[in-house]
């Protein structure tokens, strides 16, 4: 058998075994962070789209009927707005039929 004249130092072992592992873990952490940010952005966008849709439906109802809808159920039924009640709470408070209602969408 041939003996190796090259003896691996501690740095060589570290470089060949640990550094690739650390690099892999770092890349995985960056990917997980990116996915988390994407999910948060998607949630915020869904909330914004729902609130905008409700506001457009309210304005449309006022333009067509001459009054603001009395409830969020009316908006869902007549303007085909789908609200995922398991994800959002919709605060809809109307003061008078000719005053724009207070609308807030809250994510659960």
């Amino acid at each position: 058998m041939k003996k190796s004249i090259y003896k691996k130092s501690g740095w060589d072992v570290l470089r060949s075994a640990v550094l690739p592992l650390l690099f892999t873990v770092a890349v995985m952490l960056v990917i997980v962070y990116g996915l988390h940010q994407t999910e948060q952005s998607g949630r915020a966008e869904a909330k914004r789209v729902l609130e905008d849709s409700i506001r457009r439906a309210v304005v449309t109802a006022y333009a067509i009927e001459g009054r603001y809808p009395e409830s969020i159920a009316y908006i869902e039924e007549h303007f085909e707005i789908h609200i995922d009640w398991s994800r959002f709470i919709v605060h809809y408070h109307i003061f008078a039929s000719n005053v724009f209602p207070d609308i807030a969408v809250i994510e659960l």
Side-chain angles (χ1 to χ4, degrees):
M1 273 199 164
K2 242 180 171 184
K3 285 190 174 184
S4 174
I5 57 170
Y6 178 73
K7 186 175 181 182
K8 288 190 174 188
S9 68
W11 173 246
D12 291 332
V13 172
L14 179 69
R15 190 174 50 179
S16 66
V18 176
L19 287 180
L21 180 63
L22 289 176
F23 179 74
T24 303
V25 169
V27 168
M28 291 172 76
L29 288 175
V30 168
I31 290 171
V32 168
Y33 177 76
L35 290 174
H36 179 70
Q37 290 298 104
T38 303
E39 181 183 355
Q40 281 186 334
S41 175
R43 285 182 180 176
E45 182 68 13
K47 177 184 169 194
R48 187 193 63 75
V49 166
L50 177 60
E51 191 167 342
D52 288 348
S53 297
I54 293 171
R55 288 184 188 279
R56 275 196 309 275
V58 166
V59 170
T60 302
Y62 188 77
I64 293 172
E65 301 169 2
R67 62 183 177 85
Y68 291 109
E70 65 274 358
S71 70
I72 197 71
Y74 182 86
I75 295 169
E76 279 186 297
E77 182 180 334
H78 291 90
F79 293 93
E80 299 180 8
I81 301 292
H82 173 71
I83 300 171
D84 185 358
W85 293 102
S86 65
R87 286 182 60 195
F88 301 106
I89 295 173
V90 177
H91 170 76
Y92 183 85
H93 178 73
I94 187 161
F95 175 71
S97 64
N98 62 343
V99 177
F100 192 82
D102 181 31
I103 302 168
V105 176
I106 302 164
E107 186 176 357
L108 293 174

